Amino acid sequence: MKQIVKRHSPYIILLIIVLVLSIIIPLTFSWLSKDGSIEGDITIGGMEVEIKAFFEYLDENEVLVTKNAFDPTAAPNCYDSEKGLLYINGALKSIVLEQYEEEGEYNPYFLDDFKVKIELTPDITSYLRIKVFDEWKVTRFYYSFNTEQIYSIYHEGDNIFPFHLTDEDWRVSGEVGYDSSWYYDAETKYVYYTEPLEKGVLASLPFIFGGDAYLPRISRTYIDTCDLILNIKVEIVQANRFSQIWGIDEIPHGGS
């Protein structure tokens, strides 16, 4: 009897491996993680991902200024490459500017001006979700005693996401024409992109534009400053496996 041996194309074998890995675990990475920083271009399972974080505002001459948050020349002391963390001024910009005459007296990188954008080209139809870890540290300086008190605040209610999700035109909720596919789910504490990302199609996704800044308390005896420290985790999963991997029945949706 003649034995028949079937030879499989190496491309088919590679596809099977990719699908199996997609079933077992989501493609997960951390940006600004204490375990290792990620900035610029990265590759995950053949998938190109670019994270853009920057500050954009009009200067005193009404000229648009853009500063890359990862660039130590454009934004000194904003990004800690060793710890992989971003340090932002979490206090309301208008109040801070009223209190200080010189820029050197305060952190000039305000949450009000902060923008995050994510770009990727999926190698398979996928869903995307993001979790933002934020620490708000308030420093209260007492004039009379020339001392300061530092404490952390929980600047996020049970059902409140303290950052403004944005649409493709950088509009936020409340603005005319706002239409975003991002949705914050209070139960899982993740922000979901509610539309599937198509295989081989570049997705350029504005994610955050500003947020609910801390209102610094100022009196004759003391003044507040607020440091916002950010850590963001992004997860990408094969579209038809999100339920098994993320443990949810459907992609949360319904507004932002």
Side-chain angles (χ1 to χ4, degrees):
M1 177 181 293
K2 183 178 181 181
Q3 184 177 12
I4 300 177
V5 179
K6 294 183 179 180
R7 297 184 180 275
H8 297 285
S9 166
Y11 298 103
I12 296 178
I13 295 175
L14 179 60
L15 178 59
I16 293 174
I17 293 174
V18 171
L19 291 175
V20 169
L21 289 176
S22 299
I23 291 173
I24 296 174
I25 57 172
L27 301 176
T28 305
F29 66 92
S30 294
W31 170 59
L32 306 181
S33 169
K34 293 181 179 178
D35 298 326
S37 62
I38 293 178
E39 63 172 291
D41 298 321
I42 59 175
T43 302
I44 305 174
M47 190 180 306
E48 296 293 333
V49 180
E50 183 176 6
I51 303 294
K52 296 182 178 180
F54 55 99
F55 302 90
E56 199 165 68
Y57 57 90
L58 295 175
D59 66 11
E60 62 275 7
N61 299 314
E62 296 299 310
V63 176
L64 184 65
V65 176
T66 301
K67 294 185 177 181
N68 182 350
F70 295 124
D71 186 343
T73 300
N77 304 317
C78 178
Y79 176 64
D80 188 326
S81 59
E82 293 186 0
K83 295 182 179 179
L85 297 172
L86 273 177
Y87 294 84
I88 298 173
N89 195 328
L92 187 64
K93 182 177 181 179
S94 59
I95 295 181
V96 174
L97 295 182
E98 288 177 359
Q99 297 299 317
Y100 297 97
E101 296 181 358
E102 298 183 10
E103 182 174 318
E105 296 179 349
Y106 59 86
N107 180 346
Y109 313 116
F110 290 95
L111 174 61
D112 301 83
D113 305 323
F114 186 58
K115 292 184 176 181
V116 177
K117 186 176 186 179
I118 299 173
E119 293 186 350
L120 69 158
T121 302
D123 55 3
I124 192 168
T125 301
S126 309
Y127 276 112
L128 166 71
R129 72 178 184 177
I130 301 176
K131 179 169 284 190
V132 180
F133 300 91
D134 52 311
E135 180 182 354
W136 303 72
K137 185 175 67 174
V138 172
T139 300
R140 177 165 294 174
F141 179 77
Y142 292 89
Y143 302 113
S144 300
F145 303 100
N146 194 29
T147 59
E148 60 183 29
Q149 178 184 9
I150 302 175
Y151 56 96
S152 295
I153 62 172
Y154 188 62
H155 195 54
E156 179 181 345
D158 292 338
N159 298 303
I160 299 176
F161 183 66
F163 303 95
H164 296 161
L165 300 176
T166 186
D167 63 13
E168 293 183 355
D169 295 315
W170 294 101
R171 293 172 298 203
V172 299
S173 181
E175 292 189 38
V176 177
Y178 172 72
D179 183 20
S180 176
S181 294
W182 295 107
Y183 175 67
Y184 174 68
D185 180 57
E187 182 175 351
T188 61
K189 304 296 184 182
Y190 277 93
V191 179
Y192 292 82
Y193 194 74
T194 58
E195 301 294 331
L197 304 177
E198 298 300 326
K199 174 183 177 181
V201 178
L202 173 64
S204 183
L205 310 174
F207 173 48
I208 285 176
F209 183 7
D212 299 325
Y214 172 75
L215 299 178
R217 297 174 182 175
I218 300 170
S219 73
R220 294 180 179 179
T221 58
Y222 64 80
I223 185 171
D224 282 350
T225 58
C226 179
D227 294 311
L228 169 58
I229 306 170
L230 286 182
N231 176 289
I232 298 178
K233 182 177 73 172
V234 179
E235 295 181 3
I236 306 168
V237 68
Q238 181 180 330
N240 63 355
R241 303 299 298 177
F242 75 84
S243 181
Q244 293 88 337
I245 294 173
W246 287 347
I248 56 178
D249 295 329
E250 63 179 358
I251 298 296
H253 58 84
S256 300

